[in-house]
Amino acid sequence: MKTILLCLLLIYCPLLLLSKTIVVDSNGQIRSLKRAIELASAGDTVLVKSGTYKEGNLIIEKSITIIGENFPILDGEHKHEIFTIHANDINISGLEFRDTGTSSMNDLAAIKVLDSKRVTIIGNKFSNSFFGIYFANSSNCRIENNQLKASALAEYEIGNGIHLWKCEQITIDNNRIEGHRDGIYFEFVTNSFIKNNHSERNLRYGLHFMFSHNDEYTNNSFINNGAGVAVMYTKNVKMYGNTFQQNWGAAAYGLLLKDIRDSEVIGNHFIKNTIGIYQEGVSRTVFENNNFYENGYAIRLQASCDDNTFKRNNFSSNTFDLATNGTMVLNTIDGNYWDKYQGYDMNKDGIGDIPFRPVNLYAMIVERIPSAVLLWRSFLVLLMDRAEKVIPVATPENLKDNAPSMKPYDRSKKS
Amino acid sequence: MARIIKYIFYDILRTRFILLYTLFLLIATIALFQLDSDVGKVIMSLMNIVLMVIPLVSIVFTTIHFYNSYEFIELMLAQPVNRKVIFLSEYISTALSLCIAYLIGVGLPIILYGVTPSSLTLIYTGLMLTLVFVSLAFLASVLTRDKAKAIGVTLLFWFYFSLIYDGLLLWVIYSFSDYPLEKLTVALVALNPIDLARIMMLLKLDISALMGYTGAFYQNFFGSYWGMLFSTGVLSLWIIFPLFLGTRIFIKKDL
């Protein structure tokens, strides 16, 4: 073992000695980042001192590391794309990108990565970029600790924060994205991780996710985005411990699932959304240990969904817990906590003895006639709901929780 | 006027009903707070009490009180006192005692257990509903001489506003669901004080659900500054108009 290590050291030491550091300083020898990149050869480091650099579009086609000191500003002057990367093993960190050009023909980005491998983009700031970080046809890359902020007013004025197209094995960790069109955009991206990100006040979706199989996203928060989060046409996606909050509007969802199969939605929080989860064509997916709190509709389950399992979820203070548009029941919803449950538990095993029907008659009326929401919580509606609970006529009779929990599931304890 | 109000006020306190009512509200509110730790849910349950019980008690109690103090009113009329003054004194003291009962019974526990915007709205709508239904009860009382008949009329009022009207409204919404109904429903809701109070509460409790397209219209309308002013204005009209009508009838009435 020791000999192997020694050999490795002997092999790589000359490489380390060969690589040099080029310093770019607005008062120094090399004043232009462009010049520095020309001078650098593979394996070199370019150190950028603080200052403002207006150098138009920089094309990087060799494996170098670019590090900024005290966030030097790269200004795109509202005209240019700033970095275009087309090589493997490139690291970029500590830079601030500002004011890229906007275009409806080209996707101009602060950093665009094309056909590359092992690129890392860590700890940069982006303000008012059209597209922030744009990856196409790349793999094994990492995007970490970046802050992206834009302030556009309309969707056509701005691109996505982190945009990935046809990539694999990408890690997106601990970024903060505000005010873009889609916070994070995934199309044909496989085997990737999205974790600990914060996506807020984006104009369209906090996360937009299509044809991206075998991905996992955990511990992200998506707050107050135009239309929440959309996950579509995908299989094997895992969503763990995310927070979906305050996505308000007629077409806004905490989480929109369309044509998803064999996926897992576990341990997420849905708070104060107009619709917590909207599902259409979802199959064989598990919804477990989620919290739904103060949503308009906690779940809207279209009749096109089948074989899904809902268990150990907490539903509290939602206006409507579950709404559906058909009478066929192909999903199981046994073993959840519903705060509207009024049954009893004679044998004290913590499970209610009579089933709970979460679909509310009035929810179905409001689904057909939205104006009727005005009468919600009136005495009349209360009476109608009571009558419907006793003898279900309009609501699907078999859509019921056969083992409702008497108490909310405690998330602080592992079980 | 102040002296008459004082006497009527003492008279109401002597009947003990008002004390029982206060106690009932107090116990119910505290019990609800004890049962559930979530303030939002307590407010929701309290809202049902406010929307059902407050109008009912206000309207029935006021009518009974009015007929019980008929002799007192006749006695007062023998004195050189303006009829309007007597009638308004009756109104003010009854409304005042019911409002105080409500404030102690519901308001006090709410303040003790923590004030939120929704609980403040609850206190406010409760007070407004008390005033509206006392007003309606006075109108019903001067309409007829017969106590039983008057109580019947007041119960009809209550039944109409809390149930029948909503049924009709739902029927209208259902039958004309193909048309844009938003503005019409706002106008129709203004015709029912209980509905107005309920919507003011809805805006605090079910804000997420109201963010859908139609809901957003109501939210924009009622949730705005002008909407609040509109609701308050219409509720005030519901207080003033029956009272005004009642005064007119009382002044001319052959007692």
Side-chain angles (χ1 to χ4, degrees), chain A residues 248-250 272-274 293-296 317 319 339 362 368-371 374-380 384, chain B residues 38 41 44 47 52 162-163 166-167 169-170 173-174 185 189 198-199 202 206 208-209 211-214 218:
Chain A
W248 278 354
K272 288 188 179 172
N273 302 291
T274 301
Y293 187 71
E294 287 193 6
N295 298 291
S317 302
T319 303
D339 70 338
Y362 209 65
R368 278 184 50 200
I369 309 158
S371 302
L374 211 58
L375 284 168
W376 176 238
R377 290 200 195 287
S378 66
F379 185 41
L380 177 80
M384 279 165 62
Chain B
D38 186 350
K41 268 155 91 181
M44 224 176 281
M47 184 181 97
M52 300 276 304
S162 58
L163 203 62
D166 287 348
L169 187 57
L170 188 61
I173 291 174
Y174 220 95
T185 45
V189 156
R198 188 171 47 77
I199 286 166
L202 265 188
D206 292 285
S208 304
M211 281 323 224
Y213 172 71
T214 312
Y218 298 128

Side-chain angles (χ1 to χ4, degrees), chain A residues 23 26 59 61-62 87 91 102-103 108 165 167 188 198 211 245 265 280 345 362 396 403:
Chain A
V23 180
S26 43
I59 299 170
E61 290 187 300
K62 40 191 146 185
N91 306 311
T102 55
S103 158
L108 298 179
W165 179 80
C167 294
F188 306 108
H198 185 97
F211 311 105
Q245 201 174 338
V265 181
E280 210 176 291
D345 178 21
Y362 209 65

Side-chain angles (χ1 to χ4, degrees), chain A residues 322-338:
Chain A
L322 187 60
T324 183
N325 62 349
T327 47
M328 269 257 274
V329 181
L330 302 166
N331 304 288
T332 48
I333 54 165
D334 293 344
N336 297 285
Y337 168 75
W338 315 86

Side-chain angles (χ1 to χ4, degrees), chain B residues 87-243:
Chain B
F87 191 75
L88 287 179
S89 312
E90 281 282 348
Y91 177 82
I92 290 169
S93 44
T94 322
L96 201 69
S97 52
L98 282 167
C99 283
I100 290 172
Y102 174 75
L103 278 177
I104 295 174
V106 178
L108 200 67
I110 283 178
I111 288 164
L112 286 178
Y113 280 91
V115 176
T116 58
S118 57
S119 59
L120 283 179
T121 316
L122 184 81
I123 295 175
Y124 173 71
T125 49
L127 286 178
M128 283 310 246
L129 280 181
T130 306
L131 292 175
V132 168
F133 279 86
V134 169
S135 218
L136 284 170
F138 269 94
L139 177 62
S141 305
V142 293
L143 281 177
T144 164
R145 261 223 79 153
D146 185 12
K147 185 175 170 180
K149 216 168 164 185
I151 291 177
V153 172
T154 55
L155 280 177
L156 192 70
F157 269 144
W158 176 77
F159 214 62
Y160 175 75
F161 286 124
S162 58
L163 203 62
I164 299 171
Y165 189 85
D166 287 348
L168 291 173
L169 187 57
L170 188 61
W171 174 73
V172 168
I173 291 174
Y174 220 95
S175 351
F176 296 98
S177 58
D178 294 338
Y179 299 91
L181 282 173
E182 285 84 3
K183 289 193 177 122
L184 179 73
T185 45
V186 167
L188 287 175
V189 156
L191 295 175
N192 182 350
I194 293 185
D195 273 350
L196 263 177
R198 188 171 47 77
I199 286 166
M200 285 167 95
M201 288 305 297
L202 265 188
L203 287 174
K204 299 283 179 229
L205 293 172
D206 292 285
I207 185 78
S208 304
L210 285 173
M211 281 323 224
Y213 172 71
T214 312
F217 173 80
Y218 298 128
Q219 153 71 13
N220 281 344
F221 184 79
F222 287 108
S224 67
Y225 179 71
W226 285 108
M228 287 302 276
L229 224 62
F230 170 81
S231 317
T232 308
V234 172
L235 279 175
S236 309
L237 277 182
W238 272 106
I239 298 168
I240 293 162
F241 187 66
L243 188 65

Side-chain angles (χ1 to χ4, degrees), chain A residues 258-313:
Chain A
K258 184 169 167 51
D259 291 309
I260 302 294
R261 56 196 166 88
D262 301 304
S263 297
E264 291 172 9
V265 181
I266 296 176
N268 300 289
H269 299 267
F270 298 87
I271 304 163
K272 288 188 179 172
N273 302 291
T274 301
I275 299 171
I277 306 183
Y278 181 91
Q279 332 189 10
E280 210 176 291
V282 177
S283 307
R284 298 191 296 277
T285 295
V286 179
F287 299 83
E288 215 178 289
N289 286 327
N290 299 295
N291 284 338
F292 297 88
Y293 187 71
E294 287 193 6
N295 298 291
Y297 294 83
I299 296 177
R300 271 176 93 153
L301 185 69
Q302 301 300 91
S304 53
C305 302
D306 65 324
D307 273 336
N308 299 298
T309 317
F310 296 86
K311 63 180 177 192
R312 297 178 64 83
N313 300 297

Side-chain angles (χ1 to χ4, degrees), chain B residues 25-125:
Chain B
L25 287 178
L26 197 68
I27 291 171
T29 314
I30 290 177
L32 282 171
F33 271 107
Q34 295 286 338
L35 279 173
D36 210 315
S37 53
D38 186 350
V39 178
K41 268 155 91 181
V42 175
I43 298 295
M44 224 176 281
S45 315
L46 277 176
M47 184 181 97
N48 285 329
I49 295 186
V50 167
L51 294 182
M52 300 276 304
V53 176
I54 301 275
L56 182 64
V57 170
S58 301
I59 205 164
V60 171
F61 170 76
T62 308
T63 317
I64 293 173
H65 165 77
F66 187 84
Y67 281 94
N68 285 349
S69 51
Y70 222 88
E71 282 167 7
F72 174 75
I73 292 170
E74 279 172 340
L75 179 75
M76 289 310 296
L77 287 176
Q79 313 295 320
V81 190
N82 196 335
R83 276 192 170 196
K84 200 166 151 190
V85 170
I86 295 170
F87 191 75
L88 287 179
S89 312
E90 281 282 348
Y91 177 82
I92 290 169
S93 44
T94 322
L96 201 69
S97 52
L98 282 167
C99 283
I100 290 172
Y102 174 75
L103 278 177
I104 295 174
V106 178
L108 200 67
I110 283 178
I111 288 164
L112 286 178
Y113 280 91
V115 176
T116 58
S118 57
S119 59
L120 283 179
T121 316
L122 184 81
I123 295 175
Y124 173 71
T125 49

